[in-house]
Amino acid sequence: MRFRGKSIRRKIVALLLVPLVSLTALWGFSTVVTGRQALQLLDVAYVIDKVGYPIEDVVRVLQKERRQTLVVIGDPRASAATAELAKRRAATDQLVDRISRNARDPEVVEELSPAANQRLTSILDALNGIGTLRRSVDQNTLDPNQALEMYSSLVDPCYDFLMNLHALENVEMDKQGRALVGITRARETLSREDAVIASALAARNVGPADLRQVSDLAANRRLLYSFNLAILPPAERDVFETYWNGPDTKPLRDAEERFLSGGPGKNPRSITTAQWDEAAGKVLDDLATMGTAAGDRYQERVEPVAVTVLVQAAVAGVLGFFALLVSVFLSVRIGRDLIRDLSRLRKEAHEVSGVRLPAVMRRLAAGEHVDIETEAPRLQYEKDEVGQVGLALNTLQRAAVEAAVKQAELRKGVSEVFVNLARRNQVLLHRQLTLLDTMERRTEDAEELADLFRLDHMTTRMRRHAEGLVILSGAAPSRQWRRPVQLMDVVRAAVAEVEDYERIEVRRLPRLGIAGPAVADVTHLVAELLENATVFSPPHTAVQVHGERVANGFTLEIHDRGLGMNPEALLDANLRLAETPEFELSDTDRLGLFVVSRLARRHDVKVVLQPSPYGGTTAVVFLPAALLTEAPDTPGGGLRPGGARHDRHGRPAGPGKRPAHTAQAVQHGAAGRPLPAADRRRPV
């Protein structure tokens, strides 16, 4: 059985369930075994009453019928003996019918074992077939020995049945029950001896075979008494030994002695029929009475043992059930405590990994101060194994928060270094642009002016790269405008910051203004997109810029004629533009995307890349209505004078021409280099 992937609750329940089920099974097994033993002892009385005693009665009437049959065979002319035989047969049939009815009792059938039921069925079949034996006797086709053997073959199975009637698990009581059956079997030997002697006396002829048979039966009787009486309790043993050694059995013992000492011959005179009948009949009746009384006393001894076993079974069952309840209670309590501790540990681990640490990272990214003791409190646990895991979680949590704080401090330091260097470069570049503007205005040489224009253009791009560092560091550009600037001038200024500006065609845009605080950022954003379009499109193609008003603002579209982007790269670029991910120092191939994304988020501008109808890529820039104003009366007011002049396509004028001041004044160096090939995946 495998429990991988299962909850800890299921695993602990399975762990506790195995010993509990085993304990329950052992308790149930011991209770059933002990209770069954007690019930067997109690059921013995019913089975013996319904089957055992009737079998003994059948044996006794069969013994009498056998004796009378041998007497009739010995003297067939005695009419009185024949009449007595008819009475004995009728008594036998009556008891056979009774035992047959009792054998069909459902409770008797249920209590008897299959083997005992089979023996009882065989006995009843044999008794019901006794008519064949009787007819043979009536037809005088049997001698006394044959008749004795045939009747004995009906009696012997009855004793075998009684011997195995109900095997008790109480060994002592089972041995006593078998001993009582052996005592009744000893009486059977006396009954056979009585039948042999009665038959010989009735025939007035004692043969050597009769003497040997009587001698063997008498010896067998004494052996049975000696063996079985030793098993019975002393009180029972004394009853039978006293009887056989007492005066009540002396006539029988004397008659046996005289019969054996008389020897074979006709008309025996050592003992008469009347003397033998009186002596044997009395002893047989006394033994039958004593056997019944002994059986009753045996049942009286069985019942207390059964009650004792029942009490023991009840006590064992109650104690076992109580122990089972205690085990279940302790198991449930321990399992619940363990599950609670593990659930708490799991909950706190999830809180650390899913809530606390991400919150700390967000706050650190936002520049907030984070207290380690507050954000990573020391959790208290027990001193067990679960507690040790909890302490390890404490250590791990504090280490993670401390590492995040140190990393944030390091990144903040790096950002400050970037901003500091960028600010210094901005100051120098601004001074350089001012100097270049002065030199442009006082020179009259066309070639020298063209070189100054190219140097001015390169310096402007360098300033944009410097401001890119400021933007990536999370700071705001230093240059801002208070007054709005016309959209067309903003786009022209962005075009002027692109290296390959001559390929860019700007269609006439509506007279709209861009709010002063957003001029620098929008110019930088558009410049980054224009730089990307020129870098990743063939040099002989043009990049077109046009726009139109929409319901909630203005849409500016930049079309190039490159090979475009595959769907995966396009999706990745749009996700970066929309989600504005945290800038990673190691991700230097995607600086352009980071710059555009941060500038767009700062002013709620939306930038989307999509396939161009010209086969390249189209960058759609949505400027919200909050950034738009009416066109200012004086374009570029408040801006640095001088700069590149633009032709009718919106491109800066070539070298040697005096530029118009507006577009040149809007130029700024806001950030970053063009998007690399890794971002656009388009060959030039």
Side-chain angles (χ1 to χ4, degrees):
M1 181 181 295
R2 303 176 65 183
F3 289 91
R4 293 182 180 177
K6 303 295 183 181
S7 65
I8 190 66
R9 181 183 298 274
R10 291 186 179 180
K11 293 180 180 179
I12 293 177
V13 169
L15 181 64
L16 296 177
L17 196 61
V18 173
L20 288 179
V21 170
S22 301
L23 182 59
T24 304
L26 290 176
W27 169 75
F29 177 76
S30 61
T31 302
V32 169
V33 170
T34 310
R36 185 177 62 183
Q37 180 181 356
L39 292 176
Q40 283 180 348
L41 291 173
L42 293 177
D43 292 339
V44 167
Y46 182 80
V47 174
I48 290 179
D49 182 66
K50 299 296 287 186
V51 178
Y53 289 154
I55 287 290
E56 290 183 2
D57 294 338
V58 169
V59 168
R60 290 170 186 171
V61 296
L62 278 175
Q63 290 172 347
K64 293 180 180 180
E65 181 179 342
R66 178 181 58 191
R67 182 184 189 279
Q68 195 61 34
T69 298
L70 265 66
V71 170
V72 171
I73 293 175
D75 186 7
R77 294 171 297 178
S79 58
T82 303
E84 183 66 20
L85 177 59
K87 294 180 182 180
R88 298 302 180 191
R89 289 178 176 177
T92 301
D93 294 339
Q94 183 178 359
L95 287 178
V96 170
D97 292 339
R98 175 187 170 189
I99 189 62
S100 299
R101 290 193 302 271
N102 292 344
R104 292 191 293 270
D105 187 346
E107 188 172 352
V108 172
V109 175
E110 181 180 356
E111 293 299 330
L112 288 177
S113 64
N117 268 314
Q118 182 63 35
R119 291 191 186 97
L120 181 58
T121 302
S122 299
I123 291 172
L124 293 177
D125 292 340
L127 292 176
N128 290 326
I130 197 174
T132 304
L133 174 59
R134 290 172 178 174
R135 285 192 294 272
S136 299
V137 172
D138 294 339
Q139 294 173 3
N140 200 20
T141 58
L142 299 176
D143 58 30
N145 288 331
Q146 292 175 335
L148 178 65
E149 291 298 328
M150 296 184 69
Y151 271 100
S152 297
S153 65
L154 296 177
V155 172
D156 288 337
C158 295
Y159 287 111
D160 293 337
F161 173 77
L162 294 174
M163 184 72 70
N164 299 280
L165 177 60
H166 211 298
L168 302 178
E169 295 185 8
N170 188 304
V171 178
E172 184 61 28
M173 299 308 299
D174 185 68
K175 288 170 60 178
Q176 292 183 22
R178 294 177 183 273
L180 287 177
V181 176
I183 296 298
T184 59
R185 205 155 201 171
R187 181 182 178 278
E188 161 66 10
T189 59
L190 179 59
S191 175
R192 292 186 184 183
E193 180 184 347
D194 174 47
V196 172
I197 294 176
S199 177
L201 293 177
R204 298 180 182 86
N205 184 17
V206 177
D210 296 331
L211 294 176
R212 286 193 302 271
Q213 196 167 16
V214 169
S215 178
D216 293 342
L217 291 171
N220 192 18
R221 182 186 73 234
R222 288 190 290 270
L223 180 62
L224 288 173
Y225 275 117
S226 175
F227 177 77
N228 292 287
L229 288 177
I231 299 175
L232 294 177
E236 295 291 340
R237 184 165 61 248
D238 292 342
V239 170
F240 283 93
E241 289 179 350
T242 301
Y243 178 76
W244 277 106
N245 295 326
D248 293 333
T249 59
K250 187 173 178 13
L252 176 65
R253 286 181 278 129
D254 293 342
E256 282 181 342
E257 185 65 27
R258 291 197 302 271
F259 180 81
L260 293 174
S261 62
K266 294 183 178 181
N267 296 320
R269 297 184 180 182
S270 57
I271 184 174
T272 63
T273 301
Q275 291 174 343
W276 174 255
D277 290 345
E278 181 180 359
K282 183 178 183 305
V283 173
L284 287 172
D285 293 340
D286 291 343
L287 290 176
T289 303
M290 292 171 61
T292 301
D296 294 338
R297 290 191 295 271
Y298 171 73
Q299 293 302 317
E300 293 175 358
R301 292 195 300 273
V302 167
E303 290 181 2
V305 174
V307 173
T308 302
V309 173
L310 276 179
V311 172
Q312 293 175 351
V315 172
V318 171
L319 292 178
F321 184 69
F322 178 74
L324 180 62
L325 291 180
V326 172
S327 301
V328 171
F329 173 76
L330 292 178
S331 299
V332 171
R333 183 172 180 178
I334 295 174
R336 184 179 298 172
D337 293 342
L338 185 58
I339 291 173
R340 183 177 63 249
D341 293 341
L342 293 176
S343 298
R344 177 194 171 197
L345 186 62
R346 180 188 62 180
K347 179 180 178 181
E348 292 174 349
H350 286 175
E351 183 180 359
V352 169
S353 63
V355 178
R356 193 172 299 163
L357 287 180
V360 170
M361 298 301 295
R362 287 193 298 269
R363 292 175 59 189
L364 291 174
E368 299 181 14
H369 175 70
V370 173
D371 184 18
I372 297 178
E373 294 296 333
T374 302
E375 299 299 333
R378 296 184 181 274
L379 304 177
Q380 299 298 324
Y381 295 96
E382 300 293 336
K383 295 183 178 181
D384 54 5
E385 287 78 1
V386 178
Q388 294 174 3
V389 177
L391 295 178
L393 178 63
N394 278 337
T395 304
L396 179 62
Q397 177 186 203
R398 292 182 64 85
V401 174
E402 290 175 356
V405 171
K406 290 181 179 179
Q407 183 183 12
E409 294 176 351
L410 177 62
R411 295 180 62 181
K412 183 177 180 181
V414 173
S415 297
E416 291 177 352
V417 171
F418 285 169
V419 171
N420 189 10
L421 293 176
R423 295 294 188 195
R424 293 181 181 183
N425 289 333
Q426 281 182 312
V427 172
L428 295 176
L429 292 171
H430 181 70
R431 292 170 60 184
Q432 182 175 333
L433 285 172
T434 302
L435 180 60
L436 288 172
D437 184 67
T438 302
M439 295 175 65
E440 289 171 1
R441 291 181 181 278
R442 71 187 181 195
T443 187
E444 296 296 336
D445 189 342
E447 294 182 0
E448 185 176 346
L449 183 62
D451 292 337
L452 290 175
F453 282 161
R454 283 193 289 270
L455 184 60
D456 186 294
H457 186 214
M458 293 174 61
T459 304
T460 302
R461 292 173 58 210
M462 291 172 62
R463 187 174 62 180
R464 177 163 61 89
H465 295 326
E467 288 191 356
L469 290 178
V470 176
I471 294 172
L472 291 176
S473 299
S478 58
R479 296 186 306 115
Q480 293 185 353
W481 284 263
R482 294 187 300 273
R483 298 179 181 180
V485 178
Q486 284 193 17
L487 177 61
M488 189 66 182
D489 290 332
V490 171
V491 174
R492 286 173 176 173
V495 172
E497 294 184 358
V498 178
E499 179 181 6
D500 204 3
Y501 61 87
E502 296 179 349
R503 293 170 49 205
I504 301 175
E505 298 178 358
V506 181
R507 297 183 182 180
R508 188 164 189 83
L509 300 175
R511 290 180 56 81
L512 292 174
I514 300 295
V519 170
D521 291 341
V522 173
T523 304
H524 193 164
L525 185 150
V526 175
E528 289 287 347
L529 295 176
L530 290 173
E531 184 85 20
N532 184 74
T534 57
V535 169
F536 294 104
S537 61
H540 63 277
T541 61
V543 176
Q544 296 181 350
V545 181
H546 63 83
E548 61 180 348
R549 275 185 174 273
V550 293
N552 298 320
F554 188 85
T555 299
L556 189 68
E557 297 183 2
I558 301 172
H559 299 278
D560 64 51
R561 289 172 171 78
L563 296 179
M565 302 172 65
N566 59 58
E568 293 77 10
L570 191 65
L571 177 61
D572 180 68
N574 283 322
L575 288 177
R576 289 182 176 272
L577 290 172
E579 296 176 355
T580 314
E582 188 69 20
F583 174 64
E584 297 291 340
L585 295 177
S586 60
D587 199 0
T588 58
D589 293 337
R590 300 177 182 271
L591 296 180
L593 286 180
F594 284 115
V595 172
V596 173
S597 177
R598 289 199 173 185
L599 292 174
R601 182 180 64 175
R602 186 177 298 171
H603 299 285
D604 198 22
V605 175
K606 293 182 174 57
V607 180
V608 179
L609 301 180
Q610 60 188 21
S612 170
Y614 304 105
T617 300
T618 298
V620 181
V621 181
F622 172 74
L623 302 174
L627 299 182
L628 303 178
T629 63
E630 295 297 330
D633 295 335
T634 302
L639 302 180
R640 179 175 70 84
R645 182 186 305 171
H646 295 76
D647 59 17
R648 63 186 181 86
H649 296 292
R651 295 178 296 205
K657 300 179 181 180
R658 178 70 62 181
H661 74 281
T662 303
Q664 180 67 18
V666 178
Q667 291 175 13
H668 63 91
R673 60 188 179 184
L675 293 177
D679 292 333
R680 297 297 296 271
R681 302 298 180 188
R682 297 181 298 154
V684 177

